[in-house]
């Protein structure tokens, strides 16, 4: 969200602002994930990130459907938080160290991203429900569920293999 120039006169304005922020965040994630996939060593982790890249492309499309349902054009509101989270992810991608520790670091970065998105989608979905935007609420809920599932999958990979090997 920008520090200057945002006018929020209504919950509708705020809702649009929130989905513009998510739209920018998702676009950034589609650029970042391929680099994380390359940097990952665990086959399970690579696969999970690859699956989530495909899902993320769907999240971009869903947000475009939300905008068009409101007769608006998709616009991006620079998401400073996601920029920061992905910068931290970039540090992990570039880090030197044993592959399993690096994988654990990539998961740590990716789960921060997932939690940010879960928060954003939960809020946007709840605003959509309050505003009576039933279709938008359903689309946002679908994405929220995929973010939650992706987060859970990363926890499973960390606990069952990556962290175990990283601790050796
Ligand atoms: Fe997403």
């Amino acid at each position: 969200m920008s520090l200057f120039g945002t006018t929020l006169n209504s919950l509708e304005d705020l809702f649009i602002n929130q989905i513009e922020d998510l739209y920018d965040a998702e676009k950034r994630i589609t650029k970042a994930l391929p680099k994380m996939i390359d940097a990952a060593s665990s086959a399970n982790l690579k696969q999970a990130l690859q699956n989530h890249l495909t899902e993320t492309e769907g999240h971009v499309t869903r947000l475009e459907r939300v905008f068009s349902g409101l007769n608006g054009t998709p616009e991006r509101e620079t998401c400073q938080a996601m920029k920061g989270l992905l910068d931290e992810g970039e540090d992990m991608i570039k880090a030197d160290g044993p592959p399993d520790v690096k994988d654990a670091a990539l998961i740590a970065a990716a789960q921060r991203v997932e939690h940010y998105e879960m928060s954003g989608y939960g809020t946007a979905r709840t605003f959509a429900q309050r505003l009576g935007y039933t279709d938008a609420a359903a689309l946002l809920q679908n994405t929220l569920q995929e973010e939650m599932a992706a987060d859970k999958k990363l926890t499973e990979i960390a606990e069952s293999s990556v962290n175990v090997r990283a601790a050796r």
Side-chain angles (χ1 to χ4, degrees):
M1 277 169 253
S2 62
L3 289 172
F4 307 101
T6 303
T7 306
L8 302 169
N9 287 319
S10 61
L11 188 62
E12 157 113 27
D13 282 357
L14 178 57
F15 174 62
I16 302 290
N17 164 280
Q18 296 289 298
I19 58 176
E20 286 177 350
D21 180 277
L22 283 166
Y23 191 55
D24 184 74
E26 294 284 20
K27 290 262 189 181
R28 289 178 193 281
I29 296 166
T30 60
K31 297 257 157 54
L33 273 172
K35 292 184 257 177
M36 295 186 84
I37 294 165
D38 282 347
S41 300
S42 150
N44 283 344
L45 178 56
K46 269 188 194 289
Q47 189 59 55
L49 295 172
Q50 183 61 54
N51 292 347
H52 197 53
L53 173 57
T54 306
E55 285 178 341
T56 300
E57 285 158 359
H59 300 170
V60 170
T61 309
R62 273 199 201 115
L63 287 169
E64 287 166 352
R65 286 168 61 194
V66 171
F67 286 112
S68 68
L70 302 170
N71 300 313
T73 43
E75 279 181 43
R76 292 172 65 162
E77 170 81 35
T78 300
C79 181
Q80 299 293 350
M82 188 56 68
K83 269 176 91 171
L85 290 173
L86 295 176
D87 280 348
E88 289 187 4
E90 191 81 28
D91 290 344
M92 299 310 184
I93 289 168
K94 290 180 181 156
D96 294 318
D100 296 319
V101 176
K102 261 196 84 159
D103 279 354
L106 292 170
I107 291 174
Q111 288 196 284
R112 280 176 166 79
V113 168
E114 289 313 313
H115 279 251
Y116 180 91
E117 291 193 280
M118 283 153 57
S119 165
Y121 277 105
T123 299
R125 183 244 10 237
T126 300
F127 287 162
Q129 286 169 338
R130 174 54 48 197
L131 291 162
Y133 299 149
T134 317
D135 293 348
L139 289 164
L140 296 165
Q141 177 66 26
N142 287 347
T143 295
L144 174 59
Q145 276 159 348
E146 286 178 4
E147 308 293 13
M148 289 164 67
D151 180 63
K152 197 166 167 237
K153 182 77 197 166
L154 290 171
T155 297
E156 281 167 19
I157 294 170
E159 290 182 349
S160 68
S161 58
V162 167
N163 291 358
V164 179
R165 291 198 300 256
R168 272 180 203 149

